[in-house]
Amino acid sequence: GKTILITGVASGIGARAAELAGQMGADVIGIDVREPSSGISSFIKGDLSTAAGVEDIVKQLPNRIDALANVAGLSGNTGVTATLAVNFYGLRALSEAVAPRLREGGAIVNVASIAGYGWRANLERAKSLTTIEGFPDVASLVSEHGLKNEEGYPLSKELLLLWTMRAAHQHLFRDRGIRVNAVSPGPVETPILKQFRAVLGDARVDSDIMRVGRAGTSADIAPAILFLCSDGARWINGANLPVDGGLEASINADVL
Ligand code: NAI
């Protein structure tokens, strides 16, 4: 069987992706800072928000992994530093540390968001924050760049989308045929959505939902993650797949 590493398995999209991968016959290794309630064959409790936390996780991993799904994320309501650390720098540090253990032709899938839509408009800032190597002192970065708390979540996803495209062409991954792609959900009914409602307001979240008729569910997102992890996606690299019922299309085409 295939071995797939999935972060964020204690809740929402990560939990559903782990369940589905198990049903499809994969050996799932789940990672989360919280204990999952059930169903993960192998679980590593670990914190992606610090370099030491990532190192501790990597020490416990097997030497041969087929795919890594980076699903864990914070909503932004615990502050910009923690959000950038988990949603981008920790995710990237884990991916780079896992790369040598990924088999040739393996895959990495990053769960970004429609919230990262502004990556192109903010390209210069995103470039400067993604070209910093290693796991930086995120608190210092935040004060240097004067980043506000409410910017944390969208910025983390902008960085993730840009890095996904760059990583597809990074020697560490490309030289061994490791593909790097992203999935960008729209609003999905998971515990994080309540936090988005608190930060953005109900009106904003509901207008996005109204555009596409309903909110997504974890079961709408998980199959797209596993497809991009699979060999059937072997010629898809550096891509972002919106899984949002058409929300991004409606913005791009200016359809109300
Ligand atoms: P969730 O809150 O249900 O699950 C997130 C998981 O990440 C939790 O189990 C949490 O413990 C884990 N996590 C948080 N900090 C961690 C850390 N330091 N180390 C390890 N694990 C940590 O949320 P959901 O919806 O399942 O989110 C999954 C991903 O989907 C996130 O990256 C989120 O940004 C993204 N997303 C979610 C949307 C939604 O509306 N639900 C929309 C767009 C993107």
Side-chain angles (χ1 to χ4, degrees):
K2 299 251 169 86
T3 300
I4 179 169
L5 213 62
I6 305 178
T7 72
V9 294
S11 181
I13 297 168
R16 180 61 194 143
E19 186 183 28
L20 184 58
Q23 288 166 357
M24 293 169 82
D27 292 320
V28 177
I29 303 175
I31 297 169
D32 205 295
V33 73
R34 289 187 290 151
E35 210 70 51
S37 50
S38 69
I40 312 290
S41 52
S42 171
F43 175 68
I44 299 171
K45 188 165 183 165
D47 182 359
L48 293 164
S49 72
T50 67
V54 172
E55 272 170 41
D56 185 58
I57 291 166
V58 172
K59 275 189 224 146
Q60 301 173 62
L61 296 177
N63 286 322
R64 191 181 181 285
I65 296 162
D66 292 282
L68 164 62
N70 287 308
V71 188
L74 291 176
S75 66
N77 76 341
T78 53
V80 55
T81 301
T83 303
L84 283 178
V86 174
N87 295 13
F88 181 63
Y89 292 108
L91 177 162
R92 187 181 67 171
L94 179 69
S95 303
E96 292 182 348
V98 165
R101 297 171 195 240
L102 279 171
R103 70 156 160 93
E104 288 233 2
I108 296 176
V109 176
N110 300 317
V111 176
S113 171
I114 185 69
Y117 185 82
W119 70 270
R120 197 192 292 274
N122 302 321
L123 186 59
E124 287 314 313
R125 179 178 70 171
K127 261 194 204 164
S128 78
L129 288 165
T130 51
T131 48
I132 299 163
E133 287 182 18
F135 203 132
D137 177 346
V138 182
S140 307
L141 271 185
V142 165
S143 62
E144 270 168 44
H145 288 258
L147 300 173
K148 299 188 206 86
N149 270 340
E150 61 271 24
E151 290 179 290
Y153 187 78
L155 177 60
S156 72
K157 299 301 187 180
E158 290 172 17
L159 301 186
L160 184 53
L161 286 170
L162 181 63
W163 178 73
T164 297
M165 291 176 256
R166 298 177 75 92
H169 295 281
Q170 194 178 323
H171 285 295
L172 176 65
F173 303 112
R174 195 179 69 177
D175 290 358
R176 293 181 44 255
I178 297 164
R179 298 173 295 101
V180 188
N181 291 295
V183 164
S184 285
V188 179
E189 295 294 355
T190 72
I192 218 177
L193 193 60
K194 281 202 182 69
Q195 297 169 28
F196 293 142
R197 286 183 177 282
V199 176
L200 301 169
D202 283 331
R204 172 62 210 284
V205 173
D206 287 332
S207 90
D208 281 353
I209 292 172
M210 289 311 290
R211 275 184 178 232
V212 294
R214 67 167 171 88
T217 66
S218 294
D220 294 325
I221 314 300
I225 297 171
L226 297 186
F227 166 64
L228 289 173
C229 284
S230 77
D231 291 335
R234 69 181 73 82
W235 199 233
I236 303 177
N237 197 10
N240 175 39
L241 177 59
V243 184
D244 60 9
L247 180 58
E248 181 168 331
S250 79
I251 297 166
N252 284 337
D254 200 20
V255 180
L256 275 175

